[in-house]
Amino acid sequence: VRNLESPEQKLDRLRTAPFREDLCQACYHIQETTRRTLDLILRVVEEPTGRKAYSQAWGLCLRHCIEAARIAEAPAALNELLTAQITRLRILEWELQEASRKRNWSVRYEPKGPEEGAWLRAAQRFCGSTA
């Protein structure tokens, strides 16, 4: 039957899946890729080598950490993910407080350190974007 289809009918048939009104294919692929990547990260942190690598890396932004926590099946992976995120947020909190303290007139001569860029890291940690 498909051999007897006109080119217009064939094109209409092929368009139905990618151009459905209820599903944007680009959004679907982004969501699927995100879900698969988070699943991989959760599987990696289940083993000691993966936990060490994850703890030394930048980690996930808060939005994706919450999303990963929702799909986590292994308690060890969930624990590692949340422990690392809480630790990173506490360090970031300290850096923001330190940057604010060093802006005070009475300590203006103290050398500035990496805490000066904490505001940008905070935005990245909460929004997830580096651009």
Side-chain angles (χ1 to χ4, degrees):
V1 172
R2 288 189 181 185
N3 291 338
L4 300 175
E5 276 184 310
S6 71
E8 292 81 19
Q9 289 173 328
K10 189 178 221 175
L11 188 57
D12 287 342
R13 182 175 49 82
L14 292 172
R15 282 185 184 151
T16 58
F19 294 116
R20 289 182 11 208
E21 292 181 21
D22 63 335
L23 183 64
C24 168
Q25 290 299 299
C27 290
Y28 168 77
H29 287 293
I30 289 170
Q31 289 171 356
E32 183 64 15
T33 302
T34 300
R35 188 191 63 75
R36 300 274 306 145
T37 302
L38 293 176
D39 185 46
L40 176 61
I41 290 170
L42 288 166
R43 289 169 192 250
V44 165
V45 298
E46 287 180 19
E47 57 183 51
T49 306
R51 281 193 292 277
K52 183 177 180 183
Y54 184 78
S55 69
Q56 294 173 348
W58 193 86
L60 295 170
C61 70
L62 192 58
R63 179 173 54 104
H64 286 118
C65 183
I66 292 168
E67 194 172 331
R70 283 190 193 127
I71 65 170
E73 295 174 357
L78 178 61
N79 183 51
E80 178 61 33
L81 201 69
L82 296 178
T83 301
Q85 187 72 294
I86 289 168
T87 301
R88 289 178 179 118
L89 288 171
R90 290 182 50 77
I91 291 169
L92 186 58
E93 175 188 30
W94 182 88
E95 288 182 320
L96 289 167
Q97 290 171 348
E98 184 67 4
S100 178
R101 184 188 73 79
K102 286 187 177 181
R103 285 190 191 97
N104 189 321
W105 182 258
S106 63
V107 293
R108 67 186 181 275
Y109 295 115
E110 282 188 31
K112 307 293 188 252
E115 71 278 351
E116 285 300 299
W119 66 272
L120 182 58
R121 287 192 303 285
Q124 291 169 344
R125 178 67 55 197
F126 283 91
C127 299
S129 178
T130 58

